[in-house]
Amino acid sequence: MSLHLGVLEEIILIILLSKEETYGFDIAVEYENQFNQTISLPAIHVVLKRLEKKDLVSTRMGEPTQERGGKRKRLYKATSKGYEAARTLQEKRTELWKGVPSFNVAAQ
């Protein structure tokens, strides 16, 4: 599979893979928990649209909720193609790391 993903696309895809189905705000919270920095919802939605165009993510509208004033949330879910893309990237990164010699900090 020769699919190019940017770093942020890969991170968001992995966050999606760790959840059954989720929406943009939950992705932002998980991103902040993992990286200790914020990410804007518009940035997340741009990435989600790109992932959807690549068929790595599917989307559907959730049911209206009273807490959102009757508005519906757009829910996202990684596809099997998304899983395969992330798994392939992980395997390639693992292989790359095998070629990195141990870094001896004490020797510096």
Side-chain angles (χ1 to χ4, degrees):
M1 172 181 287
S2 64
L3 182 66
H4 175 73
L5 288 181
V7 174
L8 188 55
E9 288 176 318
E10 184 180 355
I11 289 168
I12 289 177
L13 180 58
I14 293 168
I15 290 171
L16 282 170
L17 286 166
S18 71
K19 301 177 179 300
E20 179 73 23
E21 187 175 60
T22 194
Y23 60 106
F25 181 78
D26 280 348
I27 294 169
V29 168
E30 184 63 26
Y31 183 92
E32 186 170 348
N33 289 340
Q34 293 295 323
F35 295 98
N36 201 27
Q37 64 185 48
T38 60
I39 184 171
S40 72
L41 284 174
I44 290 172
H45 286 114
V46 165
V47 170
L48 288 168
K49 285 180 184 178
R50 285 196 310 244
L51 291 171
E52 189 176 9
K53 282 183 179 179
K54 294 176 182 180
D55 197 29
L56 304 178
V57 168
S58 63
T59 182
R60 73 174 185 87
M61 293 304 290
E63 297 301 316
T65 61
Q66 201 164 17
E67 59 198 20
R68 290 180 44 89
K71 293 182 181 177
R72 302 174 353 159
K73 292 180 188 176
R74 183 170 296 277
L75 298 166
Y76 296 91
K77 182 178 184 176
T79 64
S80 59
K81 185 177 175 183
Y83 173 82
E84 288 301 320
R87 188 177 60 79
T88 299
L89 284 168
Q90 190 272 337
E91 289 171 356
K92 290 186 182 300
R93 286 178 188 241
T94 299
E95 284 301 310
L96 281 171
W97 274 104
K98 287 179 182 177
V100 176
S102 297
F103 193 77
N104 188 352
V105 177
Q108 293 185 357

